[in-house]
Every structure is written in structure tokens, then in C-alpha cells.
């Protein structure tokens, strides 16, 4: 590795904890706060001149400085800092310098980020769409004193199927195939005329939905179990 590549790799590794915050985001705006915090962290290591000028600009702006100080150690701390940085005259210079360094070492920072953002937004969309049915399923399990492990497994399978409907990475033919197997009358309502005997996770066709949802959860910085328990 060249000295430039080593420096870039070290900076990237140092800022991995910030990048990992994408998994806590609940909206596109929150994701972009994390993205720009990551960019600032990278720039502080790789573009000290541009980053230093940005800091001076933020500190010498009374409005920006006051808002940053007031938000220290609060849930709005990162958002306030990033908002002030974006409004600074030096923001575009920092981004330009950082991306120039990334280009020199053949790293696509925007591509890396967009992979995370896309995965998170797709997973959030699936969670939101499937949430009403999850509530129905969990309430039914809770209110039935005779609930068995089989009941729980079937409820999770229904939830997995419902999540899959909003995940474009899972081939539509796999979803249609499963509907045919379980004789589903309404693809948006798997509970309509539901026949539990047909919902068998051992069937070969089920793995496409099961693994597809698990992989989507991982891309979104989560897991199926976390989604079910939330």
C-alpha cells in the first residue's frame, strides 16, 4: 500500500463507529446527518487545511457557535454541528478536498455510503409496511393462553412474507410461488382463509423468502429477530 492508501485506510477505520450509526437511523434526514458526520471525521484526518478553515468559520459565526454550544451532550448535538457545517462557506471545499483524496486512492466514498443508505431505507420501508400485521400477530399470540412454538413459528413466517412484499431484492416469482403453495387468496392479506398446515418452513421454496428477508435486514443494519421483537 502507498502512504496515501495507508492514511486513507487508517482514517476510514477510525471513523467506522460513526459510519455504523446508519443502523440507528429512522429517516433519510437522519441518515444524511450520519453521512456528513462521517465525511467531517474523514476530512479532519485527511484534509486538515480545509477542515481547519471550516472550523474557524463555524467558531467565528456567532449564531453557529451558540447553537453548537447549546446542543453539546444533547440528542441534537450531531444534527446541530452538521447543520452549522453545511451552512459554512467552507463546506463545499471540505467535500471537494475529501473526495479528491478518495479518488487518488480509488475509493468511492459516495458509493460506499449509498449502499448503506439504500439498504437502510429499504428495510425501514419494509418494517413500516409490515408493522400493522405484526401488531395483529403478536396480539393474537399474547392473548391466546394455548399458544405453542408452532404458533409462534407460523406468525414469524407470515411476518417474513409480509416484509418480503416491500423488498425489491427478493424476486417476485419467489413470492408468487409461495402464495401458490399456501393457497393465499389475497397477496396483501396472508391471514385471509389462512391454512396453517400449508405454512411449512421445511419446504424448499420457503428459503428464498426467509434468506431474502434476513439479508435485507443485514443490509439495513439490523436483523429479523430485532424487527420481530421491536
Amino acid at each position: 500500500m502507498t502512504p496515501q492508501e495507508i492514511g486513507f485506510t487508517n482514517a476510514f477505520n477510525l471513523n467506522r463507529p460513526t459510519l455504523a450509526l446508519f443502523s440507528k437511523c429512522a429517516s433519510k434526514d437522519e441518515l444524511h446527518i450520519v453521512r456528513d458526520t462521517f465525511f467531517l471525521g474523514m476530512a479532519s484526518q485527511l484534509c486538515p487545511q480545509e477542515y481547519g478553515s471550516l472550523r474557524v468559520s463555524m467558531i467565528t459565526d456567532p449564531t453557529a457557535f451558540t447553537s453548537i454550544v447549546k446542543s453539546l451532550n444533547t440528542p441534537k448535538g450531531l444534527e446541530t454541528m452538521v447543520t452549522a457545517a453545511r451552512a459554512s462557506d467552507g463546506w463545499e471545499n471540505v467535500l471537494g478536498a475529501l473526495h479528491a483524496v478518495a479518488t487518488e486512492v480509488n475509493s468511492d466514498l459516495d458509493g460506499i455510503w449509498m449502499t448503506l443508505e439504500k439498504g437502510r431505507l429499504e428495510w425501514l420501508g419494509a418494517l413500516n409496511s409490515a408493522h400493522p400485521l405484526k401488531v395483529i400477530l403478536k396480539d393474537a399470540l399474547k392473548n391466546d393462553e394455548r399458544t405453542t412454538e408452532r404458533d409462534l413459528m407460523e406468525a414469524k413466517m407470515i411476518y417474513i412474507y409480509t416484509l418480503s412484499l416491500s423488498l425489491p431484492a427478493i424476486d417476485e416469482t419467489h413470492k408468487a410461488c409461495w402464495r401458490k403453495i399456501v393457497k393465499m387468496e389475497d397477496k396483501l392479506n396472508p391471514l385471509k382463509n389462512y391454512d396453517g398446515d400449508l405454512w411449512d418452513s421445511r419446504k424448499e421454496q420457503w428459503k428464498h423468502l426467509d434468506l431474502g428477508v434476513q439479508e435485507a435486514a443485514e443490509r439495513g443494519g439490523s436483523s429479523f429477530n430485532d424487527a420481530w421483537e421491536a
Side-chain angles (χ1 to χ4, degrees), residues 205-221:
Q205 297 87 345
W206 175 248
K207 71 177 182 181
H208 299 295
L209 302 188
D210 189 6
L211 294 178
V213 167
Q214 291 187 49
E215 290 168 358
E218 290 178 6
R219 289 193 299 271

Side-chain angles (χ1 to χ4, degrees), residues 35-137:
R35 176 199 63 192
D36 291 346
T37 302
F38 171 70
F39 285 166
L40 283 170
M42 292 287 288
S44 71
Q45 302 292 312
L46 301 172
C47 313
Q49 182 175 342
E50 291 81 5
Y51 180 77
S53 297
L54 176 66
R55 285 193 64 193
V56 170
S57 177
M58 293 165 63
I59 292 172
T60 56
D61 182 329
T63 302
F65 182 73
T66 300
S67 63
I68 291 172
V69 171
K70 287 183 177 180
S71 68
L72 289 175
N73 300 318
T74 72
K76 290 288 186 179
L78 277 183
E79 181 180 349
T80 302
M81 180 191 68
V82 169
T83 299
R86 289 170 177 168
S88 169
D89 292 337
W91 177 243
E92 294 300 329
N93 290 337
V94 167
L95 291 183
L98 176 61
H99 283 78
V101 172
T103 299
E104 289 179 3
V105 297
N106 296 314
S107 179
D108 182 5
L109 280 180
D110 288 334
I112 292 170
W113 173 257
M114 284 308 300
T115 297
L116 298 178
E117 180 176 310
K118 179 183 178 184
R120 184 61 181 169
L121 289 177
E122 286 185 355
W123 184 238
L124 288 174
L127 291 179
N128 290 334
S129 295
H131 182 72
L133 184 57
K134 186 184 79 167
V135 171
I136 292 173
L137 293 169

